[in-house]
């Protein structure tokens, strides 16, 4: 799929929009609201099907151990999330992804110096949500009832934590088909030929 990759900006393209996540308060507010809505919906869905009290039915020692395992699982999930981004970056660019960390913000990210078209970019953005939702969903179907909420918490983090990927994908799909995206992990730059207009998505 390397034919979808541009390592230099094609002639006639120029920067049309830029999203700097640490500074874009509007984008951060949208992502925060989406994150809360997704988390709330998942909690309600889980509570209607699996009583929360079952998570505390194993005794104090096993319950404490389960919480520790869940915390470790969430930490590993964040790394696995970025690893999937990296795998799909390599699929579309033919080169390994780079990884970055913002310790003060507690953020990790995968990125590439390639200019990617809309569809490959959206696939890369949504790949972790798709992969881990499916895998965790299969595991949740077999886990004992007393362990359900401990694994389900990781699923909640997975889905609600993808609010940023969902927002950026929605933003990208509203842009001209010729759009190329340069994503450095914390900043997204959108390029398309002069004269093209962005679709009305906001």
């Amino acid at each position: 799929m390397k034919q979808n990759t541009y390592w230099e900006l094609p002639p006639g393209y120029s920067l049309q929009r830029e999203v700097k996540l640490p500074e874009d308060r509007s984008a951060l507010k949208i992502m925060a609201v989406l994150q809360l809505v997704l988390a709330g919906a998942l909690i309600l869905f889980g509570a209607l099907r699996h009583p929360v009290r079952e998570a505390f039915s194993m005794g104090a020692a096993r319950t404490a151990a389960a919480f520790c395992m869940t915390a470790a699982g969430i930490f590993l999930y964040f790394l696995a999330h970025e690893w999937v981004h990296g795998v799909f970056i390599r699929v579309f660019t033919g080169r390994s992804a780079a990884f970055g960390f913002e310790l003060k913000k507690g953020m990790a990210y995968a990125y590439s110096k390639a200019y990617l078209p809309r569809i490959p970019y959206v696939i890369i953005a949504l790949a972790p949500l798709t992969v881990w939702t499916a895998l965790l969903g299969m595991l949740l179907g077999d886990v004992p009832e007393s362990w359900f909420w401990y694994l389900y918490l990781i699923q909640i983090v997975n889905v609600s934590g993808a609010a940023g990927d969902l927002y950026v994908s929605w933003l990208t799909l509203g842009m001209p088909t010729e759009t190329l995206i340069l994503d450095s992990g914390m900043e997204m730059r959108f390029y398309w030929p002069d004269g093209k207009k962005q679709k009305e998505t906001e």
Side-chain angles (χ1 to χ4, degrees):
M1 299 187 182
K2 297 178 187 177
Q3 67 272 16
N4 290 316
T5 301
Y6 299 85
W7 296 101
E8 294 183 1
L9 194 64
Y13 277 71
S14 60
L15 179 63
Q16 305 287 351
R17 177 157 185 177
E18 190 172 16
V19 176
K20 297 182 179 181
L21 288 181
E23 303 171 12
D24 193 329
R25 293 190 176 185
S26 176
L28 291 175
K29 287 179 182 178
I30 292 172
M31 288 187 286
V33 170
L34 180 57
Q35 193 168 31
L36 288 173
V37 169
L38 290 171
L42 285 170
I43 291 170
L44 179 60
F45 176 79
L48 291 174
R49 297 169 63 89
H50 302 273
V52 178
R53 64 176 179 273
E54 291 293 331
F56 301 93
S57 64
M58 299 184 292
R62 293 186 67 185
T63 298
F67 272 111
C68 290
M69 292 174 66
T70 299
I74 290 172
F75 174 76
L76 291 174
Y77 163 77
F78 285 125
L79 299 180
H81 179 103
E82 299 307 323
W83 174 75
V84 172
H85 278 313
V87 168
F88 278 79
I89 285 173
R90 184 170 180 82
V91 167
F92 284 105
T93 69
R95 299 185 189 178
S96 297
F99 296 89
F101 300 91
E102 287 284 340
L103 295 179
K104 291 183 179 180
K105 299 180 176 63
M107 296 178 67
Y109 51 88
Y111 66 98
S112 170
K113 293 183 179 180
Y115 295 86
L116 287 162
R118 288 189 321 154
I119 300 306
Y121 181 72
V122 170
I123 291 172
I124 290 168
L126 298 182
L129 174 63
T130 304
V131 169
W132 294 117
T133 298
L135 290 176
L136 289 169
M138 288 189 289
L139 291 174
L140 284 165
D142 295 326
V143 73
E145 187 66 24
S146 58
W147 283 89
F148 174 84
W149 275 95
Y150 297 103
L151 182 58
Y152 193 55
L153 282 173
I154 301 176
Q155 182 74 294
I156 292 171
V157 169
N158 166 49
V159 176
S160 63
D165 293 330
L166 290 167
Y167 170 74
V168 170
S169 297
W170 169 78
L171 196 66
T172 301
L173 291 173
M175 294 183 177
T177 56
E178 298 90 347
T179 299
L180 297 176
I181 303 96
L182 180 64
D183 188 334
S184 64
M186 300 296 288
E187 298 180 6
M188 285 124 270
R189 295 184 174 93
F190 301 89
Y191 302 82
W192 63 77
D194 295 330
K196 289 286 182 179
K197 293 184 178 180
Q198 181 176 352
K199 298 176 185 177
E200 295 295 330
T201 58
E202 299 177 87

